[in-house]
Amino acid sequence: MDNTLISALGIEFVELGKGKVIATMPVNDATRQPFGFLHGGASVALAETVASVGAVELIDLDKEICFGLEINANHIKAKRDGVVTAIATVMHQGKTTMVWDIRITDEEHQLICVSRCTMAVVPKR
């Protein structure tokens, strides 16, 4: 996944499974906003990334492709440095949509961000 947002943000996958994905992201200059805190957009990018990768694990890539349809996020706690971990679990797996719950925590398992992402599953053309 070189030359993608995933590599630019330093996202690394820890676990890939059917219905669950875990990934980490550093809190550093690439992911901070100008005041020195983790950028909310970086958290949202991490959340959509784990949901998207999770959705790919559940579809037939020969026949289908998936896209983020909607995402929301509540930023619970600020973070200046270290690493955050996103745990994504599928809440709904339908034929045309999936809904993923994503919780982003710090090293002490404190909640940094909670997100829900809806993925669209469409036939390949």
Side-chain angles (χ1 to χ4, degrees):
M1 296 185 208
D2 292 337
N3 300 316
T4 67
L5 184 63
I6 294 168
S7 62
L9 296 179
I11 296 171
E12 295 184 7
F13 293 94
V14 176
E15 180 181 323
L16 288 164
K18 299 280 185 192
K20 183 177 181 182
V21 175
I22 301 174
T24 61
M25 181 178 72
V27 180
N28 59 22
D29 289 343
T31 60
R32 285 189 200 107
Q33 41 94 309
F35 299 107
F37 296 96
L38 175 62
H39 195 295
S43 294
V44 173
L46 173 61
E48 186 161 342
T49 297
V50 291
S52 296
V53 169
V56 165
E57 293 290 315
L58 297 175
I59 65 173
D60 181 350
L61 279 175
D62 291 330
K63 299 176 184 176
E64 301 167 310
I65 192 162
C66 58
F67 299 96
L69 181 64
E70 189 274 339
I71 189 164
N72 68 49
N74 292 98
H75 306 290
I76 307 298
K77 186 174 182 204
K79 183 147 178 72
R80 286 186 182 271
D81 53 28
V83 174
V84 291
T85 300
I87 300 174
T89 53
V90 68
M91 297 171 61
H92 163 75
Q93 182 183 349
K95 291 182 180 183
T96 59
T97 62
M98 291 184 208
V99 179
W100 286 80
D101 175 70
I102 305 98
R103 298 188 182 268
I104 300 174
T105 58
D106 66 9
E107 299 90 340
E108 285 79 43
H109 305 287
Q110 295 182 66
L111 190 60
I112 302 298
C113 177
V114 62
S115 180
R116 187 181 64 236
C117 184
T118 302
M119 299 298 300
V121 179
V122 297
K124 274 190 175 176
R125 295 180 196 183

